[in-house]
Coordinates of all heavy atoms in Angstrom, one line a residue:
P184 N 8.1 -6.8 8.0 CA 8.6 -8.1 7.4 C 7.6 -9.2 7.4 O 7.8 -10.2 6.8 CB 9.8 -8.4 8.3 CG 9.7 -7.7 9.5 CD 8.8 -6.5 9.2
Y185 N 6.4 -9.0 8.0 CA 5.4 -10.0 8.1 C 4.2 -9.7 7.2 O 3.2 -10.3 7.3 CB 4.9 -10.3 9.5 CG 6.1 -10.7 10.4 CD1 6.6 -9.9 11.4 CD2 6.6 -12.0 10.3 CE1 7.6 -10.3 12.2 CE2 7.6 -12.4 11.1 CZ 8.1 -11.5 12.0 OH 9.2 -11.9 12.8
C186 N 4.4 -8.7 6.3 CA 3.2 -8.3 5.5 C 3.5 -8.7 4.0 O 4.6 -8.7 3.5 CB 3.0 -6.8 5.6 SG 2.3 -6.3 7.2
L187 N 2.4 -8.9 3.4 CA 2.4 -9.1 1.9 C 1.4 -8.1 1.4 O 0.3 -8.0 1.9 CB 1.9 -10.5 1.6 CG 1.6 -10.8 0.1 CD1 2.9 -10.8 -0.7 CD2 0.9 -12.1 0.0
A188 N 1.8 -7.3 0.4 CA 1.0 -6.3 -0.2 C 0.7 -6.6 -1.6 O 1.7 -7.0 -2.3 CB 1.6 -4.9 -0.1
T189 N -0.5 -6.4 -2.1 CA -0.8 -6.7 -3.5 C -1.6 -5.5 -4.1 O -2.4 -4.9 -3.4 CB -1.7 -7.9 -3.7 OG1 -2.9 -7.7 -3.0 CG2 -1.0 -9.1 -3.2
G190 N -1.2 -5.1 -5.3 CA -2.0 -4.1 -6.0 C -2.9 -4.7 -7.0 O -2.5 -5.7 -7.6
M191 N -4.1 -4.2 -7.1 CA -5.1 -4.9 -8.0 C -5.4 -4.0 -9.2 O -5.3 -2.8 -9.1 CB -6.4 -5.1 -7.2 CG -6.2 -5.8 -5.8 SD -5.3 -7.3 -6.0 CE -6.7 -8.4 -5.8
G192 N -5.7 -4.6 -10.3 CA -6.0 -3.8 -11.5 C -7.3 -3.0 -11.3 O -7.6 -2.2 -12.2
S193 N -8.0 -3.3 -10.3 CA -9.3 -2.5 -10.0 C -9.1 -1.5 -8.9 O -10.1 -1.2 -8.2 CB -10.4 -3.5 -9.6 OG -10.0 -4.2 -8.5
K194 N -8.0 -0.8 -8.8 CA -7.6 0.3 -7.9 C -7.4 -0.1 -6.5 O -7.2 0.8 -5.6 CB -8.6 1.4 -8.1 CG -10.0 1.2 -7.5 CD -10.9 2.4 -7.8 CE -12.3 2.1 -7.2 NZ -13.2 3.1 -7.6
W195 N -7.4 -1.3 -6.1 CA -7.3 -1.7 -4.7 C -5.9 -2.0 -4.3 O -5.1 -2.6 -5.0 CB -8.2 -2.9 -4.4 CG -9.6 -2.6 -4.4 CD1 -10.5 -2.6 -5.5 CD2 -10.4 -2.2 -3.3 NE1 -11.7 -2.2 -5.2 CE2 -11.7 -1.9 -3.8 CE3 -10.1 -2.0 -2.0 CZ2 -12.7 -1.5 -3.0 CZ3 -11.2 -1.6 -1.2 CH2 -12.4 -1.3 -1.7
L196 N -5.6 -1.7 -3.0 CA -4.4 -2.1 -2.3 C -4.8 -3.1 -1.2 O -5.7 -2.7 -0.5 CB -3.6 -0.9 -1.7 CG -2.5 -1.3 -0.7 CD1 -1.4 -2.0 -1.5 CD2 -2.0 0.0 -0.1
R197 N -4.2 -4.3 -1.2 CA -4.6 -5.2 -0.1 C -3.3 -5.6 0.7 O -2.3 -5.8 0.1 CB -5.2 -6.5 -0.7 CG -6.5 -6.2 -1.4 CD -7.2 -7.5 -1.8 NE -8.4 -7.3 -2.6 CZ -9.6 -7.0 -2.1 NH1 -9.8 -7.0 -0.8 NH2 -10.6 -6.8 -2.9
I198 N -3.5 -5.6 2.0 CA -2.4 -5.9 2.9 C -2.7 -7.1 3.7 O -3.8 -7.2 4.3 CB -2.1 -4.7 3.9 CG1 -1.8 -3.4 3.1 CG2 -0.9 -5.1 4.8 CD1 -0.5 -3.3 2.4
F199 N -1.8 -8.1 3.7 CA -2.0 -9.4 4.4 C -0.9 -9.6 5.4 O 0.2 -9.3 5.1 CB -2.0 -10.6 3.4 CG -3.1 -10.5 2.4 CD1 -2.8 -9.9 1.2 CD2 -4.3 -11.1 2.6 CE1 -3.8 -9.9 0.2 CE2 -5.3 -11.0 1.6 CZ -5.0 -10.5 0.4
D200 N -1.3 -10.1 6.6 CA -0.3 -10.4 7.6 C 0.0 -11.9 7.4 O -0.9 -12.7 7.6 CB -0.8 -10.1 9.0 CG 0.2 -10.4 10.1 OD1 1.1 -11.3 9.9 OD2 0.1 -9.8 11.1
I201 N 1.1 -12.3 6.9 CA 1.4 -13.7 6.6 C 1.5 -14.6 7.9 O 1.4 -15.8 7.7 CB 2.7 -13.9 5.7 CG1 3.9 -13.3 6.5 CG2 2.5 -13.2 4.4 CD1 5.2 -13.6 5.7
R202 N 1.5 -14.0 9.0 CA 1.5 -14.8 10.3 C 0.1 -15.2 10.6 O -0.2 -16.0 11.5 CB 2.1 -14.0 11.4 CG 3.5 -13.6 11.2 CD 3.9 -12.6 12.3 NE 3.1 -11.4 12.1 CZ 3.2 -10.4 12.9 NH1 4.1 -10.4 13.9 NH2 2.5 -9.3 12.7
G203 N -0.9 -14.5 10.0 CA -2.3 -14.8 10.2 C -2.9 -14.2 11.5 O -4.0 -14.5 11.9
K204 N -2.1 -13.2 12.0 CA -2.6 -12.6 13.3 C -3.6 -11.5 13.1 O -4.3 -11.1 14.0 CB -1.4 -12.0 14.0 CG -0.5 -13.1 14.6 CD 0.6 -12.4 15.4 CE 1.5 -13.5 16.0 NZ 2.5 -13.0 17.0
F205 N -3.6 -10.9 11.9 CA -4.5 -9.7 11.6 C -5.4 -10.0 10.4 O -5.0 -10.7 9.5 CB -3.7 -8.5 11.4 CG -2.8 -8.1 12.5 CD1 -1.4 -8.3 12.5 CD2 -3.3 -7.5 13.7 CE1 -0.6 -8.0 13.6 CE2 -2.5 -7.2 14.8 CZ -1.2 -7.4 14.7
T206 N -6.5 -9.4 10.4 CA -7.4 -9.5 9.3 C -6.8 -8.6 8.2 O -6.3 -7.6 8.4 CB -8.8 -8.9 9.7 OG1 -9.3 -9.6 10.8 CG2 -9.8 -9.0 8.5
P207 N -6.9 -9.1 6.9 CA -6.3 -8.4 5.8 C -7.0 -7.0 5.7 O -8.2 -6.9 5.9 CB -6.6 -9.2 4.6 CG -6.9 -10.6 5.1 CD -7.4 -10.4 6.5
G208 N -6.2 -6.0 5.4 CA -6.7 -4.7 5.1 C -6.8 -4.4 3.6 O -6.0 -5.0 2.8
A209 N -7.8 -3.6 3.2 CA -7.9 -3.3 1.8 C -8.5 -1.9 1.7 O -9.3 -1.4 2.6 CB -8.9 -4.3 1.1
L210 N -8.1 -1.2 0.7 CA -8.6 0.1 0.4 C -8.5 0.5 -1.1 O -7.7 -0.1 -1.8 CB -7.9 1.2 1.3 CG -6.4 1.4 1.0 CD1 -6.2 2.7 0.2 CD2 -5.7 1.6 2.3
A211 N -9.4 1.3 -1.5 CA -9.3 1.8 -2.9 C -8.2 2.9 -2.9 O -8.4 4.0 -2.5 CB -10.7 2.4 -3.3
A212 N -7.0 2.5 -3.3 CA -5.8 3.3 -3.2 C -5.7 4.3 -4.3 O -5.2 5.4 -4.1 CB -4.6 2.4 -3.2
H213 N -6.3 4.1 -5.5 CA -6.2 4.9 -6.6 C -7.5 5.0 -7.4 O -8.4 4.2 -7.1 CB -5.1 4.4 -7.5 CG -3.7 4.6 -7.0 ND1 -2.9 5.7 -7.2 CD2 -3.0 3.8 -6.2 CE1 -1.8 5.5 -6.6 NE2 -1.8 4.4 -6.0
T214 N -7.6 5.9 -8.4 CA -8.8 5.9 -9.2 C -8.7 5.0 -10.4 O -9.7 4.7 -11.1 CB -9.0 7.4 -9.7 OG1 -7.9 7.8 -10.5 CG2 -9.3 8.3 -8.6
K215 N -7.5 4.4 -10.7 CA -7.3 3.4 -11.7 C -6.5 2.3 -11.1 O -6.1 2.3 -10.0 CB -6.6 4.1 -12.9 CG -7.5 5.1 -13.6 CD -6.9 5.6 -14.9 CE -7.8 6.6 -15.5 NZ -7.2 7.1 -16.8
G216 N -6.2 1.3 -11.9 CA -5.5 0.1 -11.5 C -4.1 0.4 -10.8 O -3.4 1.3 -11.2
V217 N -3.9 -0.3 -9.7 CA -2.6 -0.3 -9.0 C -1.6 -1.2 -9.7 O -1.9 -2.4 -9.7 CB -2.7 -0.6 -7.5 CG1 -1.4 -0.6 -6.8 CG2 -3.7 0.4 -6.9
Y218 N -0.5 -0.7 -10.3 CA 0.4 -1.6 -11.0 C 1.7 -1.8 -10.3 O 2.5 -2.6 -10.8 CB 0.6 -1.0 -12.4 CG -0.6 -1.0 -13.3 CD1 -1.1 0.2 -13.9 CD2 -1.3 -2.1 -13.4 CE1 -2.2 0.2 -14.6 CE2 -2.5 -2.1 -14.2 CZ -2.9 -1.0 -14.8 OH -4.0 -1.0 -15.5
G219 N 1.9 -1.2 -9.2 CA 3.2 -1.5 -8.5 C 3.0 -1.2 -7.0 O 2.3 -0.3 -6.6
V220 N 3.7 -2.1 -6.2 CA 3.7 -2.0 -4.7 C 5.1 -2.3 -4.3 O 5.7 -3.2 -4.7 CB 2.7 -3.0 -4.1 CG1 2.7 -2.9 -2.6 CG2 1.3 -2.8 -4.6
C221 N 5.6 -1.4 -3.4 CA 7.0 -1.6 -2.9 C 7.1 -1.2 -1.4 O 6.7 -0.1 -1.1 CB 7.9 -0.8 -3.7 SG 9.6 -1.0 -3.3
F222 N 7.6 -2.1 -0.6 CA 7.8 -1.7 0.8 C 9.1 -0.9 1.0 O 10.1 -1.2 0.2 CB 7.9 -3.0 1.7 CG 6.6 -3.5 2.1 CD1 6.0 -4.5 1.4 CD2 5.9 -3.0 3.2 CE1 4.7 -5.0 1.8 CE2 4.7 -3.5 3.6 CZ 4.1 -4.5 2.9
D223 N 9.1 0.0 1.9 CA 10.3 0.8 2.2 C 11.2 -0.2 3.0 O 10.8 -0.7 4.0 CB 9.9 2.0 3.1 CG 11.1 2.9 3.4 OD1 12.2 2.4 3.6 OD2 10.9 4.1 3.5
P224 N 12.5 -0.4 2.5 CA 13.4 -1.3 3.2 C 13.8 -0.8 4.6 O 14.4 -1.6 5.3 CB 14.5 -1.5 2.2 CG 14.5 -0.2 1.4 CD 13.1 0.2 1.3
F225 N 13.7 0.4 4.9 CA 14.1 1.0 6.1 C 13.0 1.3 7.1 O 13.2 1.3 8.3 CB 14.9 2.3 5.9 CG 16.1 2.0 5.0 CD1 16.1 2.5 3.7 CD2 17.2 1.3 5.4 CE1 17.1 2.2 2.8 CE2 18.3 1.1 4.6 CZ 18.2 1.5 3.3
Q226 N 11.8 1.5 6.6 CA 10.6 1.7 7.4 C 9.6 0.7 7.0 O 8.8 0.9 6.1 CB 10.1 3.1 7.3 CG 11.0 4.2 7.8 CD 10.4 5.5 7.7 OE1 9.9 5.9 6.6 NE2 10.4 6.3 8.8
H227 N 9.5 -0.5 7.7 CA 8.7 -1.6 7.2 C 7.2 -1.4 7.3 O 6.5 -2.1 6.8 CB 9.1 -2.8 8.1 CG 10.5 -3.2 7.9 ND1 11.0 -3.8 6.8 CD2 11.6 -3.1 8.8 CE1 12.3 -4.1 6.9 NE2 12.7 -3.6 8.1
D228 N 6.8 -0.3 7.9 CA 5.4 0.0 8.0 C 4.9 1.0 6.9 O 3.8 1.4 6.9 CB 5.1 0.6 9.4 CG 5.9 1.8 9.7 OD1 6.8 2.1 9.0 OD2 5.6 2.5 10.7
Q229 N 5.8 1.2 5.9 CA 5.4 2.1 4.8 C 5.5 1.4 3.5 O 6.5 0.6 3.3 CB 6.3 3.3 4.8 CG 6.3 4.2 6.0 CD 6.2 5.6 5.8 OE1 6.5 6.1 4.7 NE2 5.7 6.4 6.7
V230 N 4.5 1.6 2.7 CA 4.5 0.9 1.4 C 4.1 2.0 0.3 O 3.3 2.9 0.6 CB 3.5 -0.3 1.3 CG1 2.1 0.2 1.6 CG2 3.6 -1.1 0.1
A231 N 4.7 1.9 -0.8 CA 4.4 2.8 -1.9 C 3.6 2.1 -3.0 O 3.8 0.9 -3.2 CB 5.7 3.3 -2.6
T232 N 2.7 2.8 -3.6 CA 1.9 2.3 -4.7 C 2.0 3.2 -5.9 O 2.2 4.4 -5.7 CB 0.4 2.1 -4.4 OG1 -0.1 3.4 -4.0 CG2 0.2 1.1 -3.2
F233 N 2.0 2.7 -7.1 CA 1.9 3.6 -8.3 C 0.8 3.0 -9.2 O 0.5 1.8 -9.2 CB 3.2 3.8 -9.0 CG 3.7 2.6 -9.7 CD1 3.4 2.3 -11.0 CD2 4.6 1.7 -9.1 CE1 3.9 1.2 -11.7 CE2 5.2 0.6 -9.7 CZ 4.8 0.4 -11.0
S234 N 0.2 3.9 -10.0 CA -1.0 3.6 -10.7 C -1.0 4.3 -12.1 O -0.3 5.2 -12.3 CB -2.2 4.0 -9.9 OG -3.4 3.9 -10.6
E235 N -1.9 3.8 -12.9 CA -2.2 4.4 -14.2 C -2.7 5.8 -14.1 O -2.7 6.6 -15.0 CB -3.2 3.5 -14.9 CG -3.5 3.9 -16.3 CD -4.6 3.0 -16.9 OE1 -5.1 2.0 -16.3 OE2 -4.8 3.2 -18.1
D236 N -3.2 6.2 -12.9 CA -3.7 7.5 -12.7 C -2.6 8.6 -12.6 O -2.9 9.7 -12.4 CB -4.7 7.6 -11.5 CG -4.1 7.3 -10.1 OD1 -2.8 7.2 -10.0 OD2 -4.8 7.1 -9.2
G237 N -1.4 8.1 -12.6 CA -0.2 9.1 -12.6 C 0.2 9.5 -11.2 O 0.9 10.5 -11.1
L238 N -0.2 8.8 -10.2 CA 0.2 9.1 -8.8 C 1.0 8.0 -8.2 O 0.8 6.8 -8.4 CB -1.1 9.3 -8.0 CG -2.0 10.5 -8.3 CD1 -3.3 10.4 -7.5 CD2 -1.3 11.8 -8.1
I239 N 1.9 8.5 -7.3 CA 2.7 7.6 -6.4 C 2.2 8.0 -5.0 O 2.2 9.1 -4.7 CB 4.2 7.8 -6.5 CG1 4.7 7.4 -8.0 CG2 4.9 7.0 -5.5 CD1 6.1 7.8 -8.2
K240 N 1.8 7.0 -4.3 CA 1.3 7.2 -2.9 C 2.0 6.4 -1.9 O 2.4 5.2 -2.2 CB -0.2 6.9 -2.8 CG -1.1 7.8 -3.7 CD -2.6 7.5 -3.5 CE -3.4 8.4 -4.4 NZ -4.8 8.2 -4.1
I241 N 2.3 7.0 -0.8 CA 3.0 6.3 0.3 C 2.0 6.1 1.4 O 1.3 7.0 1.9 CB 4.2 7.1 0.9 CG1 5.1 7.6 -0.3 CG2 4.9 6.3 1.9 CD1 5.8 6.5 -1.0
W242 N 1.9 4.8 1.9 CA 0.8 4.4 2.8 C 1.5 3.9 4.1 O 2.5 3.3 4.1 CB 0.0 3.3 2.3 CG -0.7 3.7 1.0 CD1 -0.2 3.5 -0.3 CD2 -2.0 4.3 0.9 NE1 -1.1 3.9 -1.2 CE2 -2.2 4.5 -0.5 CE3 -2.9 4.7 1.8 CZ2 -3.4 5.0 -1.0 CZ3 -4.1 5.3 1.3 CH2 -4.3 5.5 -0.1
D243 N 0.8 4.1 5.2 CA 1.2 3.6 6.5 C 0.4 2.3 6.7 O -0.8 2.4 6.8 CB 0.9 4.6 7.6 CG 1.4 4.1 9.0 OD1 1.4 2.8 9.2 OD2 1.7 4.9 9.8
V244 N 1.0 1.1 6.7 CA 0.3 -0.1 6.7 C -0.3 -0.4 8.1 O -1.2 -1.3 8.2 CB 1.1 -1.3 6.2 CG1 1.5 -1.1 4.8 CG2 2.3 -1.6 7.1
R245 N 0.1 0.3 9.1 CA -0.5 0.0 10.4 C -1.9 0.4 10.5 O -2.7 -0.2 11.2 CB 0.4 0.7 11.5 CG 1.8 0.2 11.6 CD 2.6 1.1 12.5 NE 2.8 2.4 11.8 CZ 3.5 3.4 12.3 NH1 4.2 3.2 13.4 NH2 3.6 4.5 11.6
N246 N -2.3 1.5 9.7 CA -3.6 2.0 9.8 C -4.2 2.3 8.4 O -5.3 2.8 8.3 CB -3.7 3.2 10.7 CG -2.8 4.3 10.3 OD1 -2.3 4.3 9.1 ND2 -2.5 5.2 11.2
L247 N -3.5 1.9 7.4 CA -3.9 2.1 6.0 C -4.3 3.6 5.7 O -5.2 3.9 5.0 CB -5.0 1.2 5.6 CG -4.6 -0.3 5.5 CD1 -5.8 -1.1 5.1 CD2 -3.4 -0.5 4.5
R248 N -3.4 4.5 6.2 CA -3.6 5.9 5.9 C -2.6 6.4 5.0 O -1.4 6.0 5.0 CB -3.6 6.7 7.2 CG -4.8 6.4 8.1 CD -4.9 7.4 9.2 NE -6.1 7.0 10.0 CZ -6.5 7.6 11.0 NH1 -5.8 8.7 11.4 NH2 -7.5 7.2 11.7
L249 N -3.0 7.4 4.1 CA -2.1 8.0 3.2 C -1.1 8.9 3.9 O -1.5 9.8 4.7 CB -2.9 8.8 2.1 CG -2.2 9.4 1.0 CD1 -1.5 8.3 0.1 CD2 -3.1 10.2 0.1
S250 N 0.2 8.7 3.6 CA 1.2 9.5 4.3 C 1.7 10.6 3.3 O 2.1 11.7 3.7 CB 2.4 8.6 4.7 OG 2.0 7.7 5.6
F251 N 1.7 10.3 2.0 CA 2.3 11.2 1.0 C 1.8 10.9 -0.3 O 1.5 9.7 -0.7 CB 3.9 11.0 1.0 CG 4.6 11.9 0.2 CD1 4.8 13.2 0.6 CD2 5.1 11.5 -1.1 CE1 5.5 14.1 -0.2 CE2 5.8 12.4 -1.9 CZ 6.0 13.7 -1.5
N252 N 1.6 11.9 -1.2 CA 1.0 11.8 -2.5 C 1.9 12.5 -3.5 O 2.2 13.7 -3.2 CB -0.4 12.4 -2.4 CG -1.3 12.0 -3.6 OD1 -0.9 11.1 -4.4 ND2 -2.4 12.6 -3.7
L253 N 2.3 11.9 -4.6 CA 3.2 12.6 -5.6 C 2.6 12.4 -7.0 O 2.4 11.3 -7.4 CB 4.6 11.9 -5.5 CG 5.6 12.4 -6.5 CD1 6.0 13.8 -6.2 CD2 6.8 11.5 -6.4
Q254 N 2.4 13.5 -7.7 CA 2.0 13.5 -9.0 C 3.2 13.2 -10.0 O 4.2 13.9 -9.8 CB 1.3 14.8 -9.4 CG 0.8 14.8 -10.8 CD -0.5 14.0 -11.1 OE1 -1.3 13.9 -10.2 NE2 -0.5 13.3 -12.2
T255 N 3.0 12.3 -10.9 CA 4.2 12.0 -11.8 C 4.0 12.6 -13.1 O 2.9 13.1 -13.5 CB 4.4 10.5 -12.0 OG1 3.1 9.9 -12.5 CG2 4.7 9.8 -10.7

């Protein structure tokens, strides 16, 4: 509940802690632009991204590791 996630047109996912306690995390999440980001309402440490590359990816925001990958 204290994170803000942004998807960038240049394939990046950026995670910010709005309390200012942690340094923002960033990673090249896809091979093309990230057009959507959505937090899991039941597991606040998971975020989904989707991209022009045809993939949906689920990330663990605690360590910015890929948890799941789905081809659309």
